[in-house]
């Protein structure tokens, strides 16, 4: 019997592109299955095995979860300078625990990397990245990898995305921390090479600075790889090209998907594909500056977060596609990429929206999603036609 093919016409609403048709095979029918619930706004997940994973709760703890038995265990010894969980009182607070990542040689060294909002009494908070040894469900030997001061009383846009590149280096996104553009200094934070905020860093796994990092000048903060970042969270590596992609939050629209390039300036707040919260804000002109354009941007607010490239076998039509969850519209997007260009886009689960924080793949290729809710969930995305 011939394989049936369903033709689906999608309106491409990013980058000002026109309507486009793509083919979706009838053997692809994604459905959701809740695996674990009662999580406190889960932010990140990394797999220890097919059944066990570490999960960071933005408003809670670092957990070890068993996806088969549904059991959860709190990992002890988290750094004591973690900010207090005041989000339950004030929903505007973005602080908490963010990314959790395993070292590529975790089986031999038991190193994990964590990003979180760290506090300093009387000063406020900042984004911090640490390395720790996971031993007997406890963190030991904690070492600071990056502290993106200054500590301020702005509780927004920490960033906190972490990935290991194909070069074995650690790539970290740090947000610029401001809520309103009108509060920008004369030299905007994300453009100021002497300010740690609003940048993407490239570091050795021990926190030292690689010798082949781009040169931003003698006065620049050590470790900077790219500048002009507002609130990037998701960061991931393409499985074939080995290029690094990241998501970026805009203000009034302006959400983006970007390709990371050494020494690039992504423009914030001088240029944006959206608008400003402070409608009277006029950005300065920086002489001689050139800016990298996004690969994709939406013309509505999506709030893209923990993206990934799919390499599993359950959805053969999706292989090497970029999956991007969104907080604002509770969506999950699938992008087909050719030669670093997005050729088509599909928005999934439009009839079942939920704030989506992260998509991740298990060692055997199963696809999971974290929902950003008071009753947060680990959701398995399955192919219902198999």
């Amino acid at each position: 019997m011939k394989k049936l093919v369903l033709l689906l016409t999608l309106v491409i609403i990013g980058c000002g592109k026109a309507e486009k048709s793509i083919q979706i095979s009838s053997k692809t029918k994604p459905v959701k299955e809740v695996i674990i619930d009662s999580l406190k706004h889960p932010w990140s997940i990394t797999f220890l095995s097919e059944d066990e994973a570490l999960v960071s709760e933005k408003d809670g703890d670092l957990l070890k979860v068993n996806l088969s038995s549904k059991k959860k265990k709190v990992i002890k010894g988290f750094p004591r300078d973690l900010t207090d969980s005041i989000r339950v009182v004030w929903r505007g607070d973005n602080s908490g625990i963010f990314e959790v990542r395993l070292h590529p040689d975790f089986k031999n060294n038991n190193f994990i990397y964590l990003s979180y909002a760290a506090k300093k009494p009387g000063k406020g908070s900042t984004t911090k990245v640490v390395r720790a040894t996971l031993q007997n469900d406890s963190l030991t030997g904690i070492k600071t990898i990056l502290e993106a001061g200054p500590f301020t009383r702005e509780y927004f846009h920490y960033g906190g995305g972490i990935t290991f590149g194909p070069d074995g280096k650690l790539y970290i996104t740090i947000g610029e921390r401001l809520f309103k553009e009108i509060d920008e200094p004369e030299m905007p934070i994300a453009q100021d090479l002497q300010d740690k905020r609003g940048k993407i860093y490239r570091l050795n796994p021990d926190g030292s600075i690689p010798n082949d990092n781009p040169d931003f000048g003698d006065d620049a903060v050590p470790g900077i790889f790219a500048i002009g970042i507002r609130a990037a969270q998701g960061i991931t590596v393409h499985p074939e090209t080995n290029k690094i992609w990241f998501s970026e939050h805009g203000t009034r629209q302006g959400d983006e998907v970007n390709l990371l390039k050494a020494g690039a300036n992504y423009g914030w707040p001088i240029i944006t594909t959206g608008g400003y919260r402070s409608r009277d804000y006029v950005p300065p002109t920086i002489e001689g500056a050139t800016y990298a354009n996004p690969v994709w941007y939406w013309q509505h607010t999506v709030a893209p977060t923990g993206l990934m490239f799919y390499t599993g076998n359950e959805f053969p039509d999706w292989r090497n596609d970029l999956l991007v969850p969104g907080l604002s519209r509770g969506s999950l997007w699938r992008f087909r990429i050719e030669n670093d260009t997005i050729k088509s886009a599909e928005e999934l689960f439009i009839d079942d929206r939920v704030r989506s924080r992260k998509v991740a793949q298990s060692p055997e290729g199963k696809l999971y999603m974290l929902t950003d809710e008071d009753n947060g969930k680990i959701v398995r995305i399955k192919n219902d036609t198999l």
Side-chain angles (χ1 to χ4, degrees):
M1 184 174 66
K2 294 182 179 180
K3 181 177 72 173
L4 297 176
V5 175
L6 172 66
L7 290 178
L8 174 63
T9 300
L10 299 176
V11 177
I12 303 301
I13 53 178
C15 299
K17 295 182 179 178
E19 186 175 291
K20 179 176 289 193
S21 296
I22 65 172
Q23 288 189 337
I24 306 239
S25 170
S26 61
K27 65 183 178 180
T28 301
K29 184 181 178 183
V31 295
K32 296 178 183 177
E33 177 188 356
V34 175
I35 303 299
I36 291 178
D37 61 8
S38 301
L39 298 171
K40 300 174 182 177
H41 292 265
W43 206 98
S44 180
I45 181 171
T46 189
F47 289 87
L48 300 169
S49 67
E50 187 61 27
D51 290 327
E52 283 196 324
L54 297 176
V55 175
S56 62
E57 294 179 304
K58 186 166 170 290
D59 297 348
D61 297 292
L62 177 63
L63 303 174
K64 179 189 282 188
V65 301
N66 189 296
L67 301 175
S68 295
S69 68
K70 321 298 184 186
K71 291 183 179 179
K72 294 174 277 199
K73 181 181 292 186
V74 174
I75 299 297
K76 300 177 182 178
F78 199 93
R80 294 182 178 180
D81 60 347
L82 173 66
T83 50
D84 301 320
S85 296
I86 62 173
R87 181 189 171 105
V88 295
V89 177
W90 182 41
R91 302 294 292 189
D93 180 28
N94 292 156
S95 58
I97 305 175
F98 310 132
E99 194 81 86
V100 53
R101 288 278 185 181
L102 304 185
H103 188 284
D105 196 28
F106 174 79
K107 290 184 178 179
N108 292 315
N109 60 29
N110 280 17
F111 286 159
I112 69 170
Y113 292 79
L114 298 156
S115 61
Y116 64 99
K119 65 182 178 182
K120 183 174 285 188
K123 299 291 185 179
S125 62
T126 195
T127 314
K128 191 172 183 179
V129 177
V130 299
R131 186 187 74 187
T133 300
L134 180 63
Q135 190 171 28
N136 298 324
D137 296 333
S138 294
L139 302 180
T140 63
I142 294 173
K143 176 181 178 175
T144 297
I145 298 297
L146 177 65
E147 186 178 273
F151 286 76
T152 74
R153 296 191 183 280
E154 297 279 359
Y155 296 100
F156 315 98
H157 310 152
Y158 290 94
I162 302 173
T163 196
F164 276 92
D167 54 5
K169 307 302 183 185
L170 198 62
Y171 292 81
I172 302 168
T173 70
I174 300 295
E176 65 137 20
R177 301 291 311 287
L178 293 183
F179 187 76
K180 294 182 178 180
E181 297 78 32
I182 202 68
D183 294 328
E184 291 279 6
E186 183 176 353
M187 172 59 76
I189 288 172
Q191 297 294 321
D192 187 350
L193 295 173
Q194 298 181 52
D195 195 308
K196 293 182 178 180
R197 298 166 293 175
K199 314 295 189 295
I200 292 180
Y201 291 81
R202 177 178 181 260
L203 305 175
N204 292 317
D206 63 358
S208 60
I209 311 300
N211 294 326
D212 58 346
N213 265 13
D215 184 5
F216 282 95
D218 294 340
D219 294 333
V221 171
I224 294 176
F225 192 76
I227 69 172
I229 303 299
R230 180 180 178 271
Q233 293 182 353
I235 185 166
T236 193
V237 180
H238 192 288
E240 290 189 341
T241 67
N242 286 330
K243 294 180 180 180
I244 297 176
W245 295 65
F246 68 95
S247 59
E248 171 73 299
H249 287 256
T251 49
R252 295 172 52 242
Q253 294 82 52
D255 297 329
E256 300 174 352
V257 175
N258 287 283
L259 185 60
L260 182 61
K261 298 179 181 179
N265 184 341
Y266 291 90
W268 180 258
I270 311 304
I271 60 170
T272 175
T273 55
Y276 298 111
R277 283 196 174 120
S278 303
R279 298 186 184 230
D280 295 333
Y281 177 69
V282 178
T285 299
I286 300 179
E287 295 295 333
T290 59
Y291 304 108
N293 292 322
V295 177
W296 175 270
Y297 65 90
W298 288 266
Q299 293 180 345
H300 61 280
T301 298
V302 171
T305 50
L307 72 177
M308 61 155 281
F309 285 95
Y310 178 74
T311 60
N313 296 319
E314 189 169 358
F315 296 93
D317 296 333
W318 294 8
R319 192 160 184 83
N320 295 332
D321 287 353
L322 182 65
L323 302 179
V324 185
L327 295 173
S328 179
R329 291 174 62 87
S331 55
L332 179 63
W333 289 75
R334 179 174 73 92
F335 294 106
R336 175 60 48 84
I337 296 172
E338 295 177 11
N339 299 321
D340 300 335
T341 300
I342 291 177
K343 293 295 186 180
S344 63
E346 178 188 6
E347 188 177 11
L348 303 167
F349 304 119
I350 58 176
D351 61 340
D352 184 20
R353 294 183 181 276
V354 61
R355 282 175 59 92
S356 307
R357 173 68 71 174
K358 184 89 167 180
V359 279
Q361 187 175 296
S362 74
E364 294 181 4
K366 294 177 182 176
L367 184 60
Y368 293 89
M369 181 175 73
L370 303 181
T371 70
D372 184 61
E373 306 172 274
D374 292 337
N375 178 23
K377 302 173 182 68
I378 301 175
V379 176
R380 168 88 192 281
I381 299 175
K382 303 171 66 174
N383 191 344
D384 198 41
T385 62
L386 296 183

